[in-house]
């Protein structure tokens, strides 16, 4: 087989080496771009939706291990990305598809990774690697292929250990938009929402637009004045990467919104920011939740949802009681049934709530889509919205 033929099928002969910071190594073949990369090794349990995973800004600086053994079967298209680029730092798969087969595919996954310079590795025993990460926890990792493999393992290990850790990392500003933009409502406009981009996925404003919401997406550096300049009926804080303990500006910004009593909704990183705004701590999970099959219970209804997750940090809030906060009473609204991790918060005296998972769930599941309707209800029933309507009618 010629070199060009091998590259076309995603089975290049270039050897590759994966080195974990605790010294364990895995050998395989180069997949995607050839070279080297560093990040935090995490695993995703989703069997579908790899394109949405790759383009989720929350995966910035993470090397994603896919637990599903066959990846790339449906190729890549231009409709499914959640952002304008791939954000993962590296990609680890067991058996990549040699040839994609789907009527929507325009190119192979291997080609897309190469075009965007994403270094990956294939032929790895991802089951063994995942079990290792579950036992030892998420950790720093390096992938080396081509000339980067020439150095000895001890030298490569030293370089992995020099890479920055995820704990303490403030990353939202590296993935958020630099310029504000508007996603118009689909159909009749009913509400205006200011969405603070901490790493927002494209499907999120689309889900709001489907409900008649005009979404003004603002940079992570937005001020309270920027938010209220758009005269919002509600404020949204998005998902995003990094350690919430390092995110001082979003916390201060959210507290400014809570003080004004504007309906507020946060997801993922936004949930952690709400937790910190209310005075709760956050902590790093041993290996996090990543995938599209996580069971969560909505404690307000008792309903169990299968949900999409991507988080390595969580809020430290009591599950057994209502808490007093600077903004009134708060309670844990959602909880993960696998490990009891806080998956949602809500204020009882102000119109604000959040969830740790992804109700927009591009690639599914869609059990939690009702949360956008809950946000609409908060805005509709808020006295500020009625006052705004009367002001607009007088104008």
């Amino acid at each position: 087989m010629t070199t060009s033929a091998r590259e076309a099928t995603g089975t290049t002969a270039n050897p590759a080496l994966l080195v974990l910071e605790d010294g364990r190594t895995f050998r395989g073949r180069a997949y995607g771009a050839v070279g080297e990369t560093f990040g935090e090794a995490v695993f995703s349990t989703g069997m579908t939706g790899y394109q949405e995973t790759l383009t989720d800004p929350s995966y910035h600086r993470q090397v994603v291990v896919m637990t599903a053994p066959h990846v790339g079967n449906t190729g890549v298209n231009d409709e499914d990305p959640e952002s304008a680029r791939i954000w993962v730092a590296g990609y680890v798969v067991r058996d990549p598809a040699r040839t994609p087969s789907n009527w929507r595919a325009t190119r192979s996954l291997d080609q897309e990774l190469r075009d965007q310079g994403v270094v990956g590795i294939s032929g790895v025993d991802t089951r063994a690697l995942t079990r290792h990460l579950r036992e030892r926890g998420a950790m720093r990792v390096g992938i080396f292929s081509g000339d980067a493999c020439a150095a000895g393992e001890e030298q490569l290990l030293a370089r992995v250990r020099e890479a920055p850790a995820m704990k303490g990392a403030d990353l939202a500003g590296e993935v958020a938009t630099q310029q504000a933009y508007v996603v118009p409502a689909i159909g009749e406009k009913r509400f205006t929402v200011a969405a603070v981009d901490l790493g927002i996925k494209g499907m999120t404003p689309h889900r709001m637009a489907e409900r008649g919401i005009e979404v003004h997406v603002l940079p992570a550096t937005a001020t309270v004045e920027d938010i209220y300049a758009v005269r919002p009926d509600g404020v949204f804080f998005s998902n995003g990467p990094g350690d919430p303990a390092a995110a001082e500006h979003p916390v201060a910004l959210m507290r400014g919104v809570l003080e004004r009593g504007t309906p507020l909704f946060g997801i993922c990183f936004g949930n952690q920011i709400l937790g910190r705004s209310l005075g709760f701590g956050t902590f790093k999970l041993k290996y996090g939740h990543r995938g599209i099959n996580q069971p969560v219970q909505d404690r307000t209804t008792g309903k169990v949802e299968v949900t999409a997750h991507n988080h390595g940090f969580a809020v430290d809030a009591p599950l057994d009681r209502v808490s007093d906060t600077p903004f009134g009473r708060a309670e844990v609204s959602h909880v993960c049934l696998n490990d009891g991790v806080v998956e949602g918060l809500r204020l009882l005296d102000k119109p604000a709530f959040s969830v740790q998972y992804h109700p927009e769930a591009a690639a599914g599941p869609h059990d939690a889509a009702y949360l956008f309707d809950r946000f609409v209800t908060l805005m509709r029933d808020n006295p500020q919205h009625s006052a705004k309507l009367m002001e607009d009618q007088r104008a």
Side-chain angles (χ1 to χ4, degrees):
M1 184 182 289
T2 65
T3 300
S4 59
R6 285 195 301 271
E7 291 180 349
T9 61
T11 56
T12 57
N14 277 317
L17 180 67
L18 183 149
V19 180
L20 293 167
E21 72 169 284
D22 66 357
R24 185 160 183 184
T25 62
F26 291 81
R27 294 192 175 274
R29 299 180 301 276
Y31 184 58
V34 173
E36 64 180 37
T37 191
F38 303 89
E40 180 185 45
V42 300
F43 60 87
S44 173
T45 58
M47 295 183 68
T48 61
Y50 58 79
Q51 192 171 343
E52 290 87 346
T53 294
L54 288 165
T55 55
D56 180 351
S58 297
Y59 280 111
H60 178 44
R61 267 184 39 186
Q62 291 182 323
V63 173
V64 177
V65 180
M66 298 298 291
T67 62
H70 304 292
V71 179
N73 305 47
T74 55
V76 173
N77 61 58
D78 294 321
E79 289 77 45
D80 291 344
E82 285 294 315
S83 65
R85 53 164 284 190
I86 292 175
W87 281 104
V88 303
Y91 206 44
V92 185
V93 302
R94 180 171 179 174
D95 296 321
R98 294 190 175 189
T99 304
S101 178
N102 186 273
W103 65 275
R104 299 171 67 226
T106 58
R107 53 202 177 276
S108 71
L109 175 56
D110 180 47
Q111 182 65 54
E112 185 75 354
L113 293 169
R114 277 185 280 143
D115 289 348
Q116 297 202 35
V118 179
V119 175
I121 184 172
S122 66
V124 170
D125 184 348
T126 51
R127 180 177 175 84
L129 176 53
T130 298
R131 288 172 66 90
H132 187 80
L133 294 175
R134 285 190 62 185
E135 293 169 1
R136 305 292 181 88
M139 64 183 76
R140 288 170 292 185
V141 66
I143 299 175
F144 308 91
S145 57
D147 293 341
C149 268
E153 289 188 13
E154 288 300 320
Q155 182 179 344
L156 297 179
L157 176 59
R159 297 188 62 203
V160 170
R161 290 174 175 171
E162 291 170 356
M166 188 59 68
K167 190 172 183 178
D170 185 6
L171 302 178
E174 298 181 12
V175 302
T177 183
Q178 299 301 306
Q179 299 292 330
Y181 62 92
V182 177
V183 178
I186 298 173
E188 180 185 358
K189 176 187 171 182
R190 301 172 59 201
F191 305 98
T192 300
V193 164
V196 179
D197 179 5
L198 305 173
I200 200 167
K201 296 168 65 177
M203 187 57 70
T204 305
H206 178 74
R207 290 285 184 244
M208 288 191 269
E210 290 176 330
R211 290 161 170 81
I213 299 172
E214 179 181 274
V215 185
H216 292 249
V217 183
L218 306 179
T221 54
T223 64
V224 172
E225 290 73 23
D226 293 331
I227 288 176
Y228 286 94
V230 306
R231 301 182 69 235
D233 299 295
V235 179
F236 174 80
F237 281 74
S238 80
N239 60 292
D243 185 346
E248 298 301 332
H249 177 72
V251 171
L253 188 61
M254 183 177 286
R255 285 175 176 162
V257 174
L258 290 171
E259 288 171 356
R260 288 162 175 77
T262 308
L264 185 147
F265 179 27
I267 66 170
C268 201
F269 201 66
N271 175 70
Q272 296 160 10
I273 298 304
L274 179 58
R276 285 201 57 205
S277 299
L278 298 179
F280 299 123
T282 57
F283 64 97
K284 196 173 192 307
L285 295 167
K286 184 176 181 180
Y287 49 82
H289 300 169
R290 295 173 182 87
I292 57 177
N293 51 2
Q294 304 281 340
V296 166
Q297 184 178 45
D298 182 344
R299 303 175 90 192
T300 62
T301 64
K303 179 183 176 182
V304 176
E305 310 154 16
V306 178
T307 58
H309 288 215
N310 173 19
H311 65 106
F313 294 85
V315 175
D316 185 10
L319 300 176
D320 59 348
R321 66 180 187 274
V322 173
S323 301
D324 293 322
T325 79
F327 302 100
R329 296 167 301 150
E331 68 178 4
V332 173
S333 59
H334 295 73
V335 64
C336 181
L337 296 180
N338 283 336
D339 54 13
V341 165
V342 172
E343 294 291 342
L345 299 166
R346 70 166 181 156
L347 280 172
L348 303 180
D349 302 314
K350 285 183 180 288
F353 73 104
S354 61
V355 291
Q356 184 60 65
Y357 51 95
H358 290 265
E360 83 290 341
H366 300 139
D367 297 24
Y370 71 91
L371 291 165
F372 290 106
D373 299 319
R374 187 174 289 181
F375 188 34
V376 167
T377 300
L378 276 187
M379 292 188 288
R380 183 198 65 198
D381 295 344
N382 185 46
Q384 294 178 1
H385 176 62
S386 299
K388 179 184 171 185
L389 288 177
M390 293 178 62
E391 182 181 335
D392 289 344
Q393 290 171 357
R394 287 195 298 268

